[in-house]
Amino acid sequence: MTRLVLHHINKCAGSTLLEYLPQKYAASKILKVENFVGAGRDLSRIPHDLVSRAGFIHDPYGVTDWKTKQGAITTLAFFRDPIARLISEWQMICAWSDDAIATSEELARSRAAARAGFRSFLLSSEPELMQRRWNLMATHLLLGDEDLCERTNAFEFLYNPDFPRLVRERALDNLARIDLIGLTERFDESLLLLCLAMEWPDPRPLQNHNVRDTARLRQEIDASTLQLAEACTAIDREIHGEACRMFEARLASLGRPTQAQLRELVDHAARERGGRQSRWRLHAMDEPFVGTGWQAREINGFKFSSWMGPAPRATLELAIDKSADLLLRLRCTNWMGLELLEKLTVSADGARLATDIWSHPSGCYYVDCVAPQRSLDAAHPLLKLELDCGSVASADGDPRSLGLEFCEIEAGPRGLFMARQLGTP
């Protein structure tokens, strides 16, 4: 299963999706960026082990372009009519509890301004409200661009007429690279298209969360206040328009099916997947596996790992599609001697592979190996890996015989990977 990143843009059905999507992934493979307060765009504050093995990433801030950080990434974002999104944002702020604002005078002032009415919310000079109402979909799509994000946070859009153009260009460019587009106004179709792309069965009905009466409230907004809202969302309206075009293009590529036909496509894809090997696999060492020559798996904070031992040879079998050349990427996080890593040999289905060993700023090492399709055993459904590090030793106070420690093994079509980089092309 490919890694999935949810770019959770506020008030665009994200809470409903966040109840559903994590259920598709093991708990140890879920990364919620919001759990690392203060990390912001500094991903070094998030444990590398968690980033590396994450299968589902929830990003409510647009902290980075995840495709440059990981392999086999699929990105998802839902969009919404910008005026409706802004009204829902205003309603949410009005509903903030006393406990939520108890420790912040700015939040208290922001709630008071919002409760004074939608027009007051649009005209308020409170920094919190100014950030929340100015083209929030576009600013999320900056995806952590350091320069543009800092200038947005400094409210450059208030005094530099050229700045919105820069935000618009970057946001539209990043939008074009989002893999899966959903529209809040067409949630059922969007969910079906998501399930079709991921080859999941239709999960409905889903419990809707944070539903507000925005349609009625919009009808009550006077013309001059609506103009203020439109001025705050000029870029977002262009973003939404392009997202709608991308959504329609996806439907057109499928022959513009009805919802009933979409459900049939989803059911068929899910059944097909059930009888097919995965094209890409990230095996974390906290998972059960078929293999020998490993010490008991360990959990150290966010790190899940297994040591080779008590002999220097270990095996592991993975379910993976063998119809193309495969790249195997092993992440080594500890060793009894660095020379063991240099001596490491790797074989797949009995064929010895060349190894390319490279280091990562986190302190771990990666071992990349290419397994040509012609050397793989097509008659056997599992890919059998054999690792040999030459020797083992015991650490002071530890009676175990240990060789190399690995956290995960990644396997997939060679074309998914870039040499010595974690991202995809």
Side-chain angles (χ1 to χ4, degrees), residues 218-238:
R218 180 169 184 165
Q219 293 176 352
E220 298 176 357
I221 298 174
D222 62 85
S224 63
T225 301
L226 186 59
Q227 287 180 339
L228 291 174
E230 290 174 345
C232 293
T233 58
I235 305 173
D236 273 2
R237 284 183 280 122
E238 192 167 354

Side-chain angles (χ1 to χ4, degrees), residues 57-318:
I57 298 173
H58 175 241
D59 182 355
Y61 310 128
V63 297
T64 192
D65 181 353
W66 289 96
K67 288 184 180 237
T68 66
K69 307 298 180 185
Q70 287 289 43
I73 282 283
T74 295
T75 48
L76 165 69
F78 270 59
F79 298 88
R80 185 178 185 179
D81 172 81
I83 302 299
R85 198 213 68 78
L86 195 60
I87 293 171
S88 184
E89 184 92 30
W90 163 61
Q91 290 177 285
M92 179 190 69
I93 295 171
C94 288
W96 283 348
S97 68
D98 291 343
D99 288 342
I101 65 173
T103 59
S104 172
E105 292 184 4
E106 181 181 348
L107 294 182
R109 292 194 303 268
S110 296
R111 187 184 71 170
R115 287 183 174 181
F118 187 53
R119 187 179 184 87
S120 173
F121 163 75
L122 295 174
L123 292 173
S124 173
S125 59
E126 287 297 330
E128 179 76 20
L129 300 187
M130 292 164 64
Q131 288 278 15
R132 286 174 175 267
R133 68 179 182 239
W134 190 78
N135 295 299
L136 190 138
M137 293 193 295
T139 55
H140 185 107
L141 286 174
L142 294 178
L143 302 187
D145 181 287
E146 185 172 353
D147 176 59
L148 292 179
C149 287
E150 288 182 358
R151 292 165 70 179
T152 299
N153 292 337
F155 304 107
E156 188 170 333
F157 53 82
L158 293 176
Y159 58 84
N160 181 357
D162 292 328
F163 182 68
R165 175 182 56 80
L166 300 176
V167 171
R168 171 189 172 278
E169 291 175 355
R170 178 54 57 87
L172 285 171
D173 182 58
N174 285 336
L175 172 63
R177 298 175 61 246
I178 298 292
D179 297 302
L180 302 176
I181 297 294
L183 301 176
T184 303
E185 301 88 351
R186 300 171 68 175
F187 184 81
D188 288 349
E189 290 171 278
S190 299
L191 187 62
L192 286 169
L193 289 174
L194 167 62
C195 291
L196 180 61
M198 302 299 289
E199 298 179 316
W200 295 337
D202 182 359
R204 289 173 299 172
L206 289 182
Q207 175 68 52
N208 292 326
H209 293 270
N210 298 334
V211 177
R212 303 182 189 278
D213 190 14
T214 56
R216 178 187 61 81
L217 290 170
R218 180 169 184 165
Q219 293 176 352
E220 298 176 357
I221 298 174
D222 62 85
S224 63
T225 301
L226 186 59
Q227 287 180 339
L228 291 174
E230 290 174 345
C232 293
T233 58
I235 305 173
D236 273 2
R237 284 183 280 122
E238 192 167 354
I239 293 290
H240 183 254
E242 182 59 27
C244 289
R245 285 188 286 274
M246 295 172 68
F247 185 85
E248 291 292 347
R250 172 64 173 148
L251 286 177
S253 72
L254 298 170
R256 297 195 179 281
T258 64
Q259 284 198 39
Q261 291 170 329
L262 258 181
R263 289 193 182 95
E264 291 178 3
L265 291 173
V266 167
D267 289 342
H268 177 74
R271 288 195 300 270
E272 286 284 306
R273 181 190 175 200
R276 188 176 67 244
Q277 292 281 28
S278 173
R279 292 185 66 245
W280 171 84
R281 175 77 187 276
L282 175 71
H283 175 85
M285 298 307 286
D286 63 322
E287 300 178 53
F289 60 87
V290 177
T292 59
W294 299 93
Q295 296 285 359
R297 57 192 176 191
E298 299 181 9
I299 300 177
N300 297 300
F302 289 101
K303 185 172 79 170
F304 300 95
S305 64
S306 291
W307 281 87
M308 296 175 65
R313 181 178 173 275
T315 67
L316 185 146
E317 297 186 41
L318 297 176

